[in-house]
Amino acid sequence: MLDKNIIEQVKDIFASLKSKITFKVTTDANDVKKQELNDFLNDIASTSEKLSVEYIEQTGAKLHFTLYKNDKATGITFRGIPNGHEFTSLLLAILNTDGQGKNFPDETIQRRIKSLKGKLKIKTYVSLTCTNCPEVVQALNLMSLINPNISHEMIDGGLFQQEITDYNIQGVPAVYINDETLHIGRGDLGILLEELEDKVGTQDDENIKPIERIYDTIVIGGGPAGASAAIYTARKGLKVAVVAERIGGQVNDTTSIQNLISVPETNGIKLANDLKTHLTTYDVDIFEHRKLTSINLKDIQKQIVVKGGEVFKAPVVIIATGAAWRKLGVEGEAKYIGHGVHFCQHCDGPFYKGKNVAVIGGGNSGLEAAIDLAGICKHVTVFEFGETLRADNVLQEKAHKMQNIDIYTNSQTTNVIGNDTKLTALRVKDRITDKEKEYPFDGVFVQIGLAANSDPFKGELPLTPKHEIKVDEYCRTSIPGVYAAGDVTNVPYKQIIIAMGEGAKAALSAFEDRLRGIIG
């Protein structure tokens, strides 16, 4: 089933396997996919003497296989045939089961995973063509290996359509814990871990001591501003740490990037990876998947505390926490997120092939979403709050030329309407006449900009009415030794290239203040 070249590549990947790993397959004798799965796994097993396949036929069984290490179940199950984008998930699961793989989280993250309460049965519905699903699958597989009370099952939604219908799944990846919704859409280990902590709680070990880390400079945030600040700081010979939820930040959710000067075109995932690669060429300690729990910025030695018991201390802190997707904040929105309300057309747009959808927002991201969706949807309606569209002229011209896009300005969304299981319509007010009208839709994509991630600092630093951190032209805040850069600040124009420049400026300002004796 697998191409010979792929088999040879997989042999190289598994050349260092040390453990006995078995695929224990369970199928119904009459399952039409049975032979395809068997052939697939036999090809994988042929790449290493450490791999083997065992078969069990069971009437009515749903086709699946579980990974065993030295005859002990790992908790990792694949229901379906993990090819396509999930082929990498299988390869990584095998390596991770053997104790290999560069994707294992560090001590603090493993501590948090181990402290999750109860027996957790997690399943993730995927599409094998989904580019966002593997990261979620791989993260949850890792959790299964780290915490024996967690089991995780990847399910190919294409093979189990009835379950997709029963759960009313309209976007993938769709993650369920003990048959309750946990997560829908793009995610990573940090996001999923935080959601699990909120859902099931944690069991703290009183004997575990906090981990204290001391630096010259702490950069909070790993997006363009944070990466730039860390690199410029490291180049001055200072000991610097990046404490972030994810390297790349909001960039990870950006698709085509064509205005990063000297780089004609890139995409968010690639740029995020490039930022991480650049950081690792310097003496920068990266602490990813961190969630702030408390801060103290007013003392000379600043203190940052994150989940898992880590305490970071430094005389200089550069805040570069960026921004997040802004929500509508209207009735019904929260209820139908993932069930008709979406924020990423690339993740969830394919579920609306041949259907009618709306895009809320007439800026660049809104019209880009509308143009993308128009290629697969029956009809796209754009609602813009302002009198005119805010997108670049080239996008406006392209959208106006497309026959299946309608655009309404002066339009305020006032309500998201559904039938308790999924969105069915929007209520929109004409801001000129004040008349409201219901528009039936199958799905809605919200593209109304970003909100500054400033909540952890609102008790420490003055914020603007837009909740942005106030900085001067040197990126200084009101507290000596504390700087801020990028989209979290009141600097105008939220652009990647501007954030990079502001991050560099913040680092240079901190260094200059150190030389002048303003800070330690």
Side-chain angles (χ1 to χ4, degrees):
M1 180 179 178
L2 292 179
D3 181 90
K4 289 182 179 179
N5 290 331
I6 293 177
I7 290 177
E8 290 303 314
Q9 292 174 35
V10 175
K11 282 182 180 179
D12 291 338
I13 293 171
F14 292 153
S16 59
L17 288 179
K18 298 178 179 62
S19 308
K20 174 189 172 186
I21 297 173
T22 306
F23 309 129
K24 293 203 174 183
V25 184
T26 303
T27 61
D28 184 290
N30 298 317
D31 195 309
V32 295
K33 288 286 184 177
K34 172 188 170 183
Q35 193 58 51
E36 184 179 346
L37 176 62
N38 291 352
D39 291 343
F40 175 80
L41 292 178
N42 284 333
D43 282 349
I44 297 292
S46 72
T47 63
S48 172
E49 61 181 13
K50 295 293 185 180
L51 300 174
S52 61
V53 189
E54 294 181 8
Y55 300 99
I56 301 170
E57 286 192 0
Q58 182 178 318
T59 302
K62 296 177 179 179
L63 173 142
H64 70 274
F65 66 95
T66 299
L67 269 60
Y68 279 68
K69 177 182 180 179
N70 298 327
D71 298 319
K72 184 179 179 180
T74 62
I76 297 175
T77 297
F78 291 87
R79 182 138 59 94
I81 304 170
N83 45 32
H85 287 295
E86 292 301 336
F87 186 63
T88 301
S89 296
L90 174 60
L91 300 185
L92 265 178
I94 294 168
L95 288 173
N96 292 159
T97 296
D98 192 50
Q100 301 184 52
K102 296 180 180 180
N103 59 328
F104 265 102
D106 57 48
E107 176 190 357
T108 301
I109 302 302
Q110 291 197 38
R111 179 191 291 185
R112 289 171 58 190
I113 293 169
K114 290 175 182 177
S115 71
L116 291 167
K117 286 183 179 179
K119 288 275 188 182
L120 308 180
K121 185 178 180 181
I122 304 173
K123 55 187 179 182
T124 303
Y125 289 89
V126 306
S127 165
L128 298 182
T129 61
C130 169
T131 57
N132 296 316
C133 292
E135 185 170 12
V136 169
V137 170
Q138 291 160 23
L140 293 170
N141 283 345
L142 271 177
M143 290 190 197
S144 299
L145 295 172
I146 293 167
N147 185 337
N149 289 320
I150 298 175
S151 64
H152 177 242
E153 180 180 36
M154 182 222 81
I155 303 168
D156 178 3
L159 293 184
F160 298 95
Q161 284 291 332
Q162 188 57 51
E163 291 179 43
I164 297 293
T165 301
D166 291 343
Y167 282 113
N168 191 36
I169 294 173
Q170 296 180 317
V172 291
V175 183
Y176 291 79
I177 175 171
N178 301 331
D179 284 326
E180 293 183 8
T181 304
L182 176 72
H183 177 91
I184 297 175
R186 179 178 293 175
D188 59 21
L189 188 144
I191 292 170
L192 294 162
L193 177 54
E194 186 178 343
E195 290 174 339
L196 282 167
E197 289 171 331
D198 292 342
K199 187 84 170 179
V200 304
T202 57
Q203 186 170 313
D204 296 327
D205 187 341
E206 295 179 355
N207 297 319
I208 295 179
K209 296 181 180 180
I211 301 171
E212 188 173 281
R213 307 187 190 276
I214 299 177
Y215 288 89
D216 296 320
T217 300
I218 297 167
V219 177
I220 308 176
S228 177
I231 288 168
Y232 267 75
T233 300
R235 286 172 61 86
K236 296 298 184 182
L238 297 171
K239 188 179 180 184
V240 57
V242 173
V243 180
E245 293 190 19
R246 56 177 177 168
I247 299 302
Q250 191 69 20
V251 160
N252 286 280
D253 300 325
T254 306
T255 50
S256 179
I257 300 168
Q258 300 176 3
N259 55 357
L260 185 58
I261 308 306
S262 85
V263 181
E265 185 170 3
T266 186
N267 61 68
I269 298 298
K270 185 178 186 306
L271 180 55
N273 289 333
D274 289 344
L275 291 174
K276 191 166 191 175
T277 299
H278 200 171
L279 282 168
T280 57
T281 63
Y282 289 92
D283 189 15
V284 175
D285 291 343
I286 300 173
F287 298 91
E288 200 172 6
H289 308 310
R290 266 44 179 198
K291 183 70 174 178
L292 299 184
T293 57
S294 66
I295 58 171
N296 180 356
L297 301 177
K298 293 177 181 175
D299 293 339
I300 293 176
Q301 188 79 333
K302 320 302 180 188
Q303 180 171 288
I304 310 297
V305 182
V306 301
K307 278 188 177 180
E310 268 178 312
V311 181
F312 295 86
K313 294 182 178 181
V316 173
V317 170
I318 299 175
I319 300 167
T321 46
W325 292 116
R326 190 185 300 275
K327 295 181 174 61
L328 292 168
V330 300
E331 184 180 346
E333 178 186 30
K335 181 176 182 179
Y336 295 108
I337 289 177
H339 297 279
V341 176
H342 306 278
F343 298 88
C344 177
Q345 77 274 13
H346 303 284
C347 308
D348 303 317
F351 287 90
Y352 295 91
K353 184 177 182 180
K355 296 183 178 181
N356 296 320
V357 301
V359 172
I360 302 176
N364 283 345
S365 60
L367 286 201
E368 285 174 358
I371 291 165
D372 286 346
L373 291 165
I376 55 176
C377 298
K378 181 180 179 181
H379 195 272
V380 180
T381 303
V382 177
F383 294 108
E384 161 59 31
F385 183 87
E387 293 182 7
T388 59
L389 297 175
R390 294 169 289 109
D392 293 342
N393 286 336
V394 64
L395 292 173
Q396 293 190 42
E397 290 170 4
K398 188 170 184 179
H400 283 301
K401 288 179 181 178
M402 302 188 79
Q403 298 298 312
N404 61 337
I405 295 179
D406 283 338
I407 299 173
Y408 295 91
T409 56
N410 283 307
S411 299
Q412 179 182 358
T413 304
T414 59
N415 203 324
V416 175
I417 301 166
N419 59 9
D420 288 331
T421 59
K422 64 179 180 179
L423 172 145
T424 58
L426 287 181
R427 183 174 297 131
V428 180
K429 182 173 75 173
D430 185 316
R431 295 179 57 239
I432 296 176
T433 65
D434 277 340
K435 291 183 178 179
E436 293 194 3
K437 178 181 177 181
E438 283 190 14
Y439 294 83
F441 292 112
D442 299 297
V444 173
F445 293 81
V446 181
Q447 299 284 321
I448 57 172
L450 303 171
N453 292 324
S454 61
D455 280 356
F457 314 104
K458 61 186 178 183
E460 299 269 327
L461 295 167
L463 307 179
T464 70
K466 293 183 178 180
H467 303 285
E468 299 166 331
I469 296 174
K470 291 182 179 180
V471 294
D472 66 12
E473 64 269 31
Y474 292 93
C475 294
R476 297 185 182 107
T477 70
S478 60
I479 299 176
V482 180
Y483 307 80
D487 288 3
V488 73
T489 74
N490 59 330
V491 170
Y493 310 118
K494 311 306 184 185
Q495 297 290 306
I496 292 170
I497 195 165
I498 291 175
M500 287 179 172
E502 291 295 303
K505 189 200 297 182
L508 292 172
S509 295
F511 183 71
E512 181 178 299
D513 289 349
R514 189 186 295 269
L515 290 180
R516 294 167 56 199
I518 296 174
I519 57 176

